Amino acid sequence: MHYRRRAWSANEGDALVVLKVGGSVLRDGRSIELVSQAVHRHRERGRLVLIVPSAFYGETDRLLKAARDVLGADPEPFALAEYLMCGERAAAALIVAGLVRVGLHAELLDAARAGFLGKGRPSNAEPVSLDSGSVVRAMKESGIAVLPGFGAVDDRGRALLLGRGGSDASAVFCGIALGAEVRLLKDVDGLYDRDPADSEIARRYAALSYLDASALGGRVLQDRACNLAAGHGHRFRVESLEDAAEGRERGTLVGVASSVFDEDAPARCAEVA
């Protein structure tokens, strides 16, 4: 599949969307194709797109094990953060290459260029600020920019990791700073009242309050991202990568006053062997 590149026009200044691509769906070349399809659909709607990827599935654990095998159980924390960020950077580069392959183009950013600053411990920092002007300028170059998730830099330019759920938090923070819509692309088609993998019937939410979303636990959505969004009153959507690629508008909107189930979605239950 090959897409015609769509030029940016001035009236797109407010049409921004942040797509966070989770590690659960980044597994192979097919996943890169689906990301390209999802991005193309948003570009066709006249939106500037910022992609915030996690590392490929299992890559962070592999890198952490490799570091400890070489350096022992307690590597220097800033050096370890720099090393672990290799997973997100590699994913970002492959996504850019995948976009180019189908006729799209994207600006590849890093935390320093984006002015994505954090503070705190190197393994569990908090996002502080984003140079939104620089990010939007990069997006306007071609309509698409890619910023690796999970990491920031401190005021000395050293790598910081945002801890568990850091890529979701990266995307939400960028959405807040840019005033952009945020969509978290996962391996599930929304948030359910219980784990669909269980034998009990699970119902998908069309919309959730921040409080109810946090009460579901951190299996799909990390508390850090939800709390960050709640603190700024910024809504976001959880949807599957496949739905995003096909342009299906479903999933779960987080940040409404009262939670509601999706009455058009059939209840799901796991098959019992």
Side-chain angles (χ1 to χ4, degrees):
M1 188 175 295
H2 196 275
Y3 305 122
R4 180 180 299 171
R5 186 178 301 174
R6 186 180 189 279
W8 178 82
S9 59
N11 62 5
E12 289 179 316
D14 294 325
L16 309 177
V17 61
V18 177
L19 302 180
K20 186 269 181 173
V21 187
S24 61
V25 295
L26 282 175
R27 294 173 179 261
D28 51 26
R30 174 59 179 161
S31 61
I32 298 294
E33 293 175 6
L34 291 174
V35 171
S36 298
Q37 291 174 28
V39 170
H40 174 68
R41 291 189 181 278
H42 284 286
R43 290 295 299 131
E44 284 299 295
R45 296 170 189 167
R47 296 168 179 166
L48 299 178
V49 181
L50 176 65
I51 307 167
V52 180
S54 297
F56 270 66
Y57 181 77
E59 182 65 6
T60 301
D61 290 340
R62 187 193 70 79
L63 289 170
L64 182 58
K65 181 180 184 302
R68 288 175 172 168
D69 286 347
V70 172
L71 299 172
D74 192 24
E76 197 282 323
F78 288 105
L80 179 62
E82 186 74 40
Y83 179 65
L84 293 181
M85 274 299 298
C86 291
E88 280 71 22
R89 290 171 181 148
L94 289 175
I95 287 172
V96 169
L99 291 168
V100 171
R101 187 175 184 179
V102 297
L104 299 171
H105 178 66
E107 289 292 309
L108 180 58
L109 302 175
D110 58 25
R113 182 181 170 193
F116 192 16
L117 302 180
K119 66 177 181 179
R121 293 188 291 116
S123 62
N124 193 28
E126 296 289 338
V128 172
S129 63
L130 180 79
D131 185 350
S132 56
S134 292
V135 174
V136 171
R137 283 193 296 273
M139 295 166 75
K140 287 179 180 179
E141 288 294 322
S142 59
I144 308 164
V146 185
L147 174 65
F150 188 40
V153 293
D154 67 9
D155 55 6
R156 295 171 56 185
R158 297 176 298 184
L160 301 173
L161 303 179
L162 301 185
R164 182 170 174 79
S167 292
D168 281 359
S170 297
V172 170
F173 189 87
C174 288
I176 293 167
L178 297 170
E181 178 184 4
V182 177
R183 294 179 177 237
L184 308 183
L185 308 185
K186 307 277 187 175
D187 61 349
V188 293
D189 59 357
L191 298 174
Y192 286 75
D193 61 344
R194 64 200 74 189
D195 189 344
D198 292 341
S199 59
E200 299 175 278
I201 293 175
R203 298 178 68 190
R204 188 174 73 214
Y205 288 100
L208 268 174
S209 68
Y210 297 119
L211 185 62
D212 289 344
S214 293
L216 293 178
R219 189 184 65 85
V220 175
L221 177 64
Q222 297 298 331
D223 284 343
R224 173 170 292 196
C226 192
N227 292 340
L228 184 60
H232 291 82
H234 198 89
R235 295 180 176 183
F236 60 92
R237 181 172 293 277
V238 177
E239 63 184 348
S240 73
L241 175 59
E242 289 81 2
D243 282 346
E246 293 297 326
R248 292 188 289 263
E249 286 291 328
R250 57 183 184 183
T252 303
L253 178 66
V254 178
V256 299
S258 300
S259 301
V260 293
F261 287 110
D262 187 345
E263 298 300 335
D264 294 329
R268 290 177 54 185
C269 61
E271 295 181 2
V272 180

